Amino acid sequence: MSSINISFLETVSLIASLHCLVLSLVILFSKFFRSKNNKYLGFTLLIIAVVGINNWFWDIGSNPEIISFLDLFLWQFLYPTTLFIFFYRTSNNTSANTHRLKIFYLPFVILSILNIFLSLSTTFQLYDLPDIVLNYIPLFYKVISFLSIIFPIYMIVLSYKYTLAKKNSLSKKWLKYLLAFLSLIILFGVLLESYRFLFFEKLPLTYLSTFSSIFIYWLTYKGMYQFKLSNDQYEIREITKREKKKPINSVNYKSSHFKKIVFLIEEDKIHHNPNLSRDSVAEQLEISNSYLSQIIKENTSVNFSDYINSHRIKDVKLMLKDPTFDKYSLLSIGLECGFNSKTSFYTNFKKETGLTPKEYKNK
């Protein structure tokens, strides 16, 4: 029985592919990550995991039946599409319609069907092909190799178009990091495929797998960090929902509109929405933006942004004093109270209290 020598890099790449598989399943089935947008990232990572495991067996010189079966499908035309749809949907604030994007699945479907037709004869020996078809097989795979270079680059360019077109925010910044990292991996694979196209030689994919493993470990770390924040925010939200609501402030304000603003904050907690804007509140009150600013200025002597942030900080301070929330991170409390980033939370908190959230809690 022959033994297989597996190098350290090959071991690392296999572990990374398995981690990628686990992470994809977490994204697809966890209630904290599961969404119509995230499922495309989950499918992308699942495909990358399958490709990584597939290439790992080829690099060590092994070819189990399951790998031969997986080779029937040309995955290099599928994960660039699912990745693009993820970025397209996530980068759009409105509900994105992906029906017209189904055309990008055609290269994977059509070329995989052709590959299956040929492979069932050449690899699995299920039937014989006419000589005229056999003569064109090298040309077919030459075309596949060429398209494997062009198609991923085209999908990356489209992804950048929709992702970089958006203004910076915490989530969009994270998307750009993710896209940049995945683009480097895909382009590295494109370079290897280009060498194969030009010199008719397939290079080992160990270094690509190793580079991908660094990305997977980074994504796992970021994913678990985001998972912890999401989990904390979810539990904080459930706790606050169970708490008895305090009676609405009965102060008689001069402006009925300002009284409505107070009601929306104290009853509906609109300030906990990180995307809350002056425009959205004015629209809800059916008044102009300038009139809304005037009302708040007359009743509080501060502008709209400072007024909303003061209520967020008020809620943060209440939670920091409540032992019920001791097990949750300061950042998760700040994000749940409506701040859209760590910087915004810490800056505004210190601006109003003169202390950082940690200093305030210790005090």
Side-chain angles (χ1 to χ4, degrees), residues 58-72:
W58 279 108
D59 284 345
I60 66 172
S62 180
N63 188 22
E65 287 295 325
I66 184 63
I67 300 303
S68 297
F69 173 76
L70 292 175
D71 270 347
L72 292 174

Side-chain angles (χ1 to χ4, degrees), residues 164-178:
L164 297 182
K166 300 296 177 179
K167 298 296 182 182
N168 264 344
S169 71
L170 183 67
S171 58
K172 298 301 182 294
K173 190 175 181 181
W174 154 251
L175 280 180
K176 290 171 184 177
Y177 285 141
L178 180 62

Side-chain angles (χ1 to χ4, degrees), residues 19-228:
H19 282 177
C20 186
L21 177 63
V22 171
L23 186 57
S24 68
L25 297 177
V26 170
I27 292 174
L28 289 172
F29 297 105
S30 167
K31 65 180 180 180
F32 299 109
F33 285 118
R34 188 171 59 235
S35 72
K36 290 182 179 179
N37 291 351
N38 286 346
K39 72 177 181 180
Y40 290 99
L41 178 61
F43 286 137
T44 301
L45 294 178
L46 180 61
I47 298 166
I48 290 176
V50 169
V51 172
I53 294 172
N54 190 349
N55 289 331
W56 185 83
F57 276 104
W58 279 108
D59 284 345
I60 66 172
S62 180
N63 188 22
E65 287 295 325
I66 184 63
I67 300 303
S68 297
F69 173 76
L70 292 175
D71 270 347
L72 292 174
F73 303 92
L74 301 180
W75 304 107
Q76 66 267 37
F77 297 103
L78 182 57
Y79 66 79
T81 299
T82 55
L83 184 63
F84 162 68
I85 295 177
F86 165 73
F87 284 117
Y88 177 85
R89 291 183 62 108
T90 309
S91 298
N92 282 275
N93 295 324
T94 57
S95 179
N97 186 349
T98 57
H99 291 300
R100 64 188 182 90
L101 301 180
K102 290 181 179 179
I103 190 174
F104 291 113
Y105 289 112
L106 287 180
F108 169 74
V109 174
I110 295 173
L111 295 175
S112 291
I113 290 174
L114 292 174
N115 186 56
I116 290 171
F117 171 72
L118 296 177
S119 297
L120 290 180
S121 172
T122 58
T123 303
F124 293 91
Q125 307 295 323
L126 295 182
Y127 49 77
D128 294 327
L129 292 172
D131 290 341
I132 189 172
V133 175
L134 294 174
N135 291 336
Y136 281 100
I137 288 180
L139 177 61
F140 171 73
Y141 286 110
K142 192 71 173 176
V143 171
I144 292 294
S145 182
F146 177 74
L147 293 178
S148 298
I149 298 170
I150 300 300
F151 185 72
I153 294 177
Y154 176 67
M155 299 309 291
I156 288 174
V157 171
L158 282 183
S159 298
Y160 268 95
K161 174 184 175 182
Y162 287 102
T163 305
L164 297 182
K166 300 296 177 179
K167 298 296 182 182
N168 264 344
S169 71
L170 183 67
S171 58
K172 298 301 182 294
K173 190 175 181 181
W174 154 251
L175 280 180
K176 290 171 184 177
Y177 285 141
L178 180 62
L179 177 56
F181 218 144
L182 283 169
S183 297
L184 288 175
I185 293 174
I186 292 174
L187 291 176
F188 190 10
V190 166
L191 288 176
L192 295 178
E193 189 63 38
S194 300
Y195 183 90
R196 180 182 182 181
F197 177 78
L198 294 172
F199 302 104
F200 305 97
E201 181 183 355
K202 183 178 180 180
L203 295 175
L205 300 177
T206 304
Y207 288 102
L208 174 61
S209 300
T210 303
F211 184 37
S212 300
S213 69
I214 298 172
F215 161 72
I216 295 304
Y217 292 134
W218 173 77
L219 186 59
T220 301
Y221 167 76
K222 291 293 293 185
M224 292 303 100
Y225 176 69
Q226 294 294 333
F227 176 82
K228 179 67 168 61

Side-chain angles (χ1 to χ4, degrees), residues 274-286:
N275 298 316
L276 186 71
S277 67
R278 188 180 62 164
D279 291 346
S280 63
V281 176
E283 183 179 352
Q284 198 167 355
L285 296 176
E286 298 181 342

